[in-house]
Amino acid sequence: MTQDVKLNGLVNVLDDLEYPISQDEAVEQCDDVTLILADGEENLGEIVADSNGERFASMDDLETEVFNLLPRHAVGEPYQSEGEG
């Protein structure tokens, strides 16, 4: 069953996985998840497949890896700050 998940719901998806988890298992279990980003969407399984990690010891490890691999458009306009200038 395909799921569409906003980026702020990523933790809920990753929390359902059993850790430690191999990259192959994570790819397989996340392949039906589409992350809805600020500008577009990405398949979560494909993002995890791009990782150099072979195994993720915890949800935090996998979450960090996913955020590191997200394209720049994932969180909004590039080089724009939400802070006051």
Side-chain angles (χ1 to χ4, degrees):
M1 175 180 193
T2 302
Q3 323 179 47
D4 292 341
V5 177
K6 290 185 178 181
L7 187 55
N8 62 1
L10 175 63
V11 172
N12 298 329
V13 173
L14 299 181
D15 194 40
D16 288 342
L17 305 178
E18 290 187 33
Y19 297 91
I21 190 168
S22 71
Q23 180 191 21
D24 291 340
E25 290 174 291
V27 168
E28 183 179 317
Q29 292 185 36
C30 295
D31 196 44
D32 64 344
V33 177
T34 300
L35 285 178
I36 307 301
L37 308 174
D39 185 17
E41 54 187 45
E42 296 283 333
N43 178 276
L44 181 56
E46 291 175 8
I47 293 171
V48 175
D50 287 341
S51 170
N52 290 327
E54 294 179 12
R55 190 165 201 74
F56 303 99
S58 68
M59 183 192 72
D60 290 337
D61 290 346
L62 183 51
E63 179 185 32
T64 299
E65 187 69 11
V66 168
F67 277 112
N68 286 336
L69 293 169
L70 284 174
R72 218 180 339 183
H73 68 265
V75 292
E77 289 294 319
Y79 309 113
Q80 298 298 312
S81 172
E82 294 294 322
E84 294 182 33

